[in-house]
Amino acid sequence: MSSATQRRVFLVAALLVAAVALGVISMGGIGENLVYFWTPAQVHENASKAVGATIRMGGVVQADSVDWQPDTQALTFTVGESAVDTATPITVHAQSAPPQMFREGIGVVVEGTMTDAGTFRADKVMVKHSNEYRAPTDGMAPADLYATVEEL
Amino acid sequence: MKSPLAIVGLIFVVLGMLATAAGHWIGLFVAPPEAMMGDVGRILYVHVPTAWAALIFFMVAFVAAIGSLWSGWRGFDAATTGAVEVGTVLTFLLLIQGSIWARPTWNTWWTWDPRLTTSAVLAAAFGVVLLMRRLIDQPAKRQMATAVATIIAFVDVPVVYFSVKWWASLHQQASTRASMDSVMGLPLGVAALGMLVMGTGLMLLRTKVELVRLAHEADAPELPPTAAPLRLDDPAGGDPTLDEAT
């Protein structure tokens, strides 16, 4: 086999392998095995597996559900599928100060486990930021924004 | 310096640095702080351009690798190397910047989110391409291995791009014109252009260096044939010259 033929055989083989790999990743069932987080509804569906195992749950912090006790470092809030979730919200207990951007109505991903009581015990609370980048509106004082940064 | 490749490369690096500086000047001093993240949000102006540029240079490497295998031309081999190297450096920078951004906003330095995981794989995969290239001495074999490995590693580029669409993730979706105020889109655009031009300049310079190296290698005299391998079962210690004498 001449070296040019050999190179082109390798080219076709490499492109084929790449195309098949990409096809398997994008269309194959890999998505089901690579789950970064479950939504509250999925946690309910997999209730038996969620207790005791370390899992992540992603959702939206429900309005009027946040309770932060600075003396005991106890943070409690409820996570739902969407901003207003009446069907499947799950109460989360964490022992840490709320992250800077944590607030009602924001997306969060919590890492921890479900307890027998049907609540989520979180070791880590992560806050999701959307791809929306906006200038502050008139009502927002720049000083407040700087303040949020200084505490970091 | 007589090489047009090196001259164009240098000009691109300088122009790219100027545009990058201008973009960040606007981003730091003209654009307002982001409504929710405050000043921390300004890392957007370096993180997003780094990501775009890294993926674009890997795309350039992919095309050069195809040309390299198809034609066997040394220039494509050098260009593949230049593009992979710039892309890999940018990917490592991307991971560092992302980590710095994630700590104050997401409340973690690192998490195995699909976007983060696939990006780490990207850095590792192209790191391996560069490592492998250093380990192969025979030029034709090295050119072929580099190109094949680049094509395989490139699979991860669309996976990184679509990871936030295919899987539930903590990382935000791709930024678009609609998802940001124009006052923030301007510094982002200028910084991205700067990053791209600067990266192109570095890629051209690196390609030139590789071309010179490959030319020297091709002109070098043949090495004498290597000695026969040591034989451990030989009581005399396996010296091949002694072996042949007996």
Side-chain angles (χ1 to χ4, degrees):
Chain A
M1 199 157 49
S2 78
S3 73
T5 319
Q6 197 189 12
R7 276 200 323 268
R8 287 172 197 181
V9 168
F10 270 96
L11 172 60
V12 173
L15 287 173
L16 268 177
V17 170
V20 169
L22 188 58
V24 168
I25 295 167
S26 62
M27 284 167 233
I30 284 185
E32 270 138 57
N33 299 320
L34 285 180
V35 179
Y36 176 63
F37 63 71
W38 276 339
T39 66
Q42 286 167 322
V43 172
H44 282 297
E45 272 171 38
N46 297 284
S48 58
K49 285 189 241 167
V51 177
T54 300
I55 57 167
R56 293 189 202 93
M57 177 173 73
V60 183
V61 178
Q62 302 296 291
D64 299 323
S65 75
V66 179
D67 177 52
W68 163 236
Q69 301 293 335
D71 349 320
T72 55
Q73 295 277 302
L75 176 66
T76 307
F77 55 95
T78 307
V79 171
E81 292 281 307
S82 55
V84 182
D85 179 356
T86 50
T88 57
I90 291 176
T91 300
V92 177
H93 295 288
Q95 282 291 320
S96 64
Q100 287 295 327
M101 288 181 38
F102 182 87
R103 62 200 74 188
E104 290 168 2
I106 202 163
V108 288
V109 174
V110 289
E111 218 170 77
T113 188
M114 283 299 283
T115 61
D116 291 324
T119 59
F120 194 99
R121 196 179 65 235
D123 302 318
K124 199 170 180 183
V125 177
M126 293 178 286
V127 178
K128 205 173 152 131
H129 184 265
S130 75
N131 62 340
E132 302 263 327
Y133 305 98
R134 302 293 174 209
T137 45
D138 290 344
M140 302 170 80
D144 294 343
L145 294 167
Y146 295 128
T148 65
V149 178
E150 277 162 12
E151 285 167 31
L152 295 176
Chain B
M1 200 179 336
K2 280 168 262 167
S3 159
L5 207 55
I7 294 169
V8 173
L10 263 184
I11 293 174
F12 270 52
V13 170
V14 172
L15 289 179
M17 285 171 78
L18 289 175
T20 303
H24 287 291
W25 190 83
I26 303 171
L28 288 173
F29 303 112
V30 181
E34 205 275 330
M36 278 189 76
M37 291 184 281
D39 281 327
V40 170
R42 296 181 199 272
I43 201 168
L44 166 84
Y45 307 128
V46 65
H47 188 63
V48 172
T50 305
W52 286 344
L55 297 187
I56 287 172
F57 286 114
F58 286 137
M59 235 180 283
V60 172
F62 176 69
V63 173
I66 291 175
S68 175
L69 280 178
W70 184 258
S71 70
W73 181 45
R74 202 191 283 162
F76 279 128
D77 188 36
T80 306
T81 307
V84 168
E85 226 174 85
V86 172
T88 305
V89 170
L90 287 173
T91 308
F92 276 103
L93 288 176
L94 183 73
L95 294 172
I96 295 166
Q97 298 158 358
S99 192
I100 292 170
W101 196 1
R103 181 63 192 82
T105 53
W106 295 349
N107 193 35
T108 187
W109 291 105
W110 181 265
T111 176
W112 293 101
D113 158 280
R115 172 56 72 80
L116 275 61
T117 307
T118 53
S119 301
V121 168
L122 192 68
F126 279 101
V128 167
V129 173
L130 292 173
L131 180 67
M132 199 191 64
R133 187 176 170 79
R134 300 221 72 165
L135 295 179
I136 305 176
D137 289 330
Q138 213 267 315
K141 203 186 272 180
R142 181 178 53 216
Q143 173 161 1
M144 198 145 74
T146 304
V148 169
T150 300
I151 290 171
I152 304 293
F154 180 79
V155 170
D156 195 33
V157 169
V159 176
V160 167
Y161 186 81
F162 290 111
S163 56
V164 288
K165 290 193 192 303
W166 290 346
W167 300 295
S169 70
L170 181 62
H171 194 283
Q172 52 264 56
Q173 298 290 313
S175 308
T176 61
R177 267 176 206 287
S179 76
M180 68 178 62
D181 285 354
S182 56
V183 68
M184 293 166 163
L186 175 72
L188 177 64
V190 176
L193 182 74
M195 186 68 94
L196 208 55
V197 173
M198 184 162 61
T200 305
L202 289 171
M203 187 194 92
L204 293 177
L205 289 174
R206 181 64 184 86
T207 301
K208 177 64 192 171
V209 169
E210 194 64 15
L211 273 176
V212 172
R213 255 189 217 170
L214 292 174
H216 277 298
E217 187 180 54
D219 294 341
E222 286 292 314
L223 287 171
T226 45
L230 287 174
R231 283 175 45 196
L232 294 174
D233 56 340
D234 185 351
D239 186 335
T241 50
L242 285 176
D243 228 43
E244 269 161 39
T246 47

